[in-house]
């Protein structure tokens, strides 16, 4: 049986941030109440994340144990194959003894089954308190299962929002007790989202913004939104979703927006995806 792993209900992404901006955003996020932070080796800022978190925790008096850090291993590290060395590099970058969640960033063809088996060793060592993957589809999970694994993944992170409800992946994850982290949970507020009559109607009735309605939808069907914002006011708005609840009809209507639409092109980072 997998150990219980507690993760905050909202995750802040640190992608595309330099030191100055990240320090500002993380300081604001901790003040608002955020306690989970997402990065990756391919974001090329793990050392910045580590330095900012070290400084911010010292300045706020928040302990390392109170925050949840996710990072990811990239395709080039999978190809090198020295997976157990790669976690040590990430730990040095992040200035921590462990990460709360370690993922492979992509199901890199011909590599990801053996990568995961090496990640299982890292999990047993305690250097990663949970392991998982990003950008997996159902066929990748099935292939991983067929290849033979000992530890069921704890988390999967993929693009998930009202325009991509990904029912097949969610059903598989529920069956196997894999927690879902949703990146691009607002689908970058593109027009079909921002201008949706359904979302605007629910927002007007509840007195919330369209973004708050979507984030609440995520929480109520069991996914953990992981979003990027460099605006402190927006961070505060996104956090203020605990004082209302969507009806079952609301949930069904939002679900009806599904188009199996993806904002991010997978083939750019995963040939043969």
């Amino acid at each position: 049986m997998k150990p219980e792993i507690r993760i905050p209900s909202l995750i802040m992404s640190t992608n595309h941030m330099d030191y100055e901006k990240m320090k500002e955003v993380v300081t604001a996020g901790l003040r608002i109440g955020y306690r989970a932070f997402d990065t990756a080796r391919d974001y090329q800022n793990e050392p910045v994340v580590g330095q900012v978190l070290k400084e911010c925790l010292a300045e706020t008096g928040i302990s390392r144990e109170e925050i949840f850090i996710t990072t990811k291993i990239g395709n080039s590290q999978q190809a090198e194959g020295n997976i157990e060395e790669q976690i040590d590099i990430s730990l040095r970058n992040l200035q921590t003894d462990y990460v709360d969640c370690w993922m492979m960033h992509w199901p890199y063809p011909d590599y990801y089954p053996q990568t995961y088996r090496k990640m299982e060793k890292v999990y047993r060592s305690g250097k990663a308190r949970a392991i998982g993957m990003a950008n997996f589809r159902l066929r990748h999970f099935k292939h991983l299962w067929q290849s033979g694994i000992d530890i069921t993944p704890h988390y999967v992170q993929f693009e998930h929002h009202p325009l991509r409800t990904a029912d097949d992946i969610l059903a598989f994850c529920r069956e196997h007790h894999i927690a879902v982290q949703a990146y691009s949970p607002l689908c970058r507020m593109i027009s079909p989202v921002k201008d949706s009559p359904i979302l605007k109607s629910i927002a007007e009735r509840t007195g919330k913004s369209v973004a708050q309605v979507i984030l609440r939808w995520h929480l109520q069907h069991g996914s953990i939104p992981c979003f990027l914002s460099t605006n402190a006011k927006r961070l505060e708005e996104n956090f203020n979703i605990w004082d209302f609840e969507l009806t079952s009809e609301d949930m069904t209507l939002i679900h009806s927006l599904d188009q199996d639409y993806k904002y991010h092109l997978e083939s750019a980072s995963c040939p043969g995806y």
Side-chain angles (χ1 to χ4, degrees):
M1 179 180 293
K2 293 189 296 186
E4 182 180 4
I5 301 168
R6 297 186 180 275
I7 180 172
S9 299
L10 295 169
I11 306 172
M12 289 178 56
S13 175
T14 62
N15 195 7
H16 302 305
M17 290 190 208
D18 59 16
Y19 171 84
E20 184 177 352
K21 177 54 67 175
M22 195 184 302
K23 183 67 183 289
E24 174 189 337
V25 169
V26 171
T27 298
L30 288 170
R31 174 185 57 79
I32 292 165
Y34 289 94
R35 293 295 182 270
F37 302 90
D38 176 87
T39 188
R41 183 69 61 78
D42 285 351
Y43 296 168
Q44 299 182 346
N45 66 358
E46 273 186 342
V48 179
V49 174
Q51 186 61 32
V52 166
L53 285 176
K54 179 181 179 180
E55 292 175 8
C56 287
L57 294 182
E59 291 164 6
T60 60
I62 296 170
S63 68
R64 166 67 181 91
E65 290 71 27
E66 294 178 74
I67 65 170
F68 191 101
I69 302 173
T70 297
T71 194
K72 310 175 195 77
I73 186 168
N75 289 353
S76 60
Q77 291 87 49
Q78 291 197 57
E80 289 177 22
N82 56 344
I83 307 304
E84 293 174 78
E85 294 178 30
Q86 294 300 327
I87 188 62
D88 290 332
I89 294 172
S90 286
L91 294 180
R92 288 196 297 271
N93 288 341
L94 293 166
Q95 301 189 48
T96 183
D97 296 329
Y98 66 93
V99 291
D100 298 275
C101 180
W102 197 38
M103 296 181 168
M104 68 176 83
H105 211 148
W106 295 93
Y108 195 39
D110 302 325
Y111 289 98
Y112 68 89
Q114 55 262 43
T115 294
Y116 188 79
R117 286 191 289 273
K118 293 176 182 178
M119 291 174 70
E120 290 179 323
K121 294 181 181 179
V122 171
Y123 170 71
R124 293 189 184 98
S125 76
K127 294 178 180 179
R129 296 194 171 178
I131 53 175
M133 58 281 298
N135 300 300
F136 266 51
R137 292 198 181 195
L138 204 55
R139 65 179 178 272
H140 301 115
F141 278 116
K142 289 180 177 178
H143 181 61
L144 188 66
W145 255 245
Q146 291 166 358
S147 73
I149 61 173
D150 296 325
I151 299 168
T152 299
H154 302 95
Y155 292 99
V156 61
Q157 185 183 111
F158 60 91
E159 182 176 337
H160 177 46
H161 43 67
L163 301 186
R164 191 202 186 204
T165 58
D167 296 338
D168 57 342
I169 303 176
L170 261 64
F172 182 90
C173 290
R174 291 188 183 110
E175 178 185 355
H176 294 280
H177 306 288
I178 303 169
V180 170
Q181 298 180 14
Y183 76 73
S184 293
L186 306 175
C187 196
R188 300 292 184 95
M189 293 299 285
I190 63 174
S191 179
V193 173
K194 181 178 62 176
D195 300 322
S196 163
I198 287 173
L199 292 170
K200 289 172 75 172
S201 175
I202 296 171
E204 183 177 353
R205 194 195 79 240
T206 57
K208 293 292 183 177
S209 69
V210 167
Q212 288 172 316
V213 167
I214 295 172
L215 293 174
R216 185 72 202 184
W217 171 79
H218 278 287
L219 296 185
Q220 287 186 214
H221 77 244
S223 65
I224 305 164
C226 175
F227 56 85
L228 176 68
S229 178
T230 58
N231 184 308
K233 289 184 178 179
R234 187 62 53 79
L235 285 172
E236 194 154 7
E237 175 187 311
N238 288 353
F239 196 80
N240 185 23
I241 57 174
W242 316 106
D243 58 351
F244 76 110
E245 189 167 342
L246 300 175
T247 67
S248 58
E249 182 181 4
D250 292 335
M251 296 292 290
T252 300
L253 285 170
I254 296 171
H255 198 87
S256 74
L257 298 173
D258 178 46
Q259 303 174 16
D260 196 25
Y261 171 84
K262 290 192 87 277
Y263 187 92
H264 298 274
L265 293 176
E266 296 157 332
S267 58
S269 297
C270 193
Y273 189 87

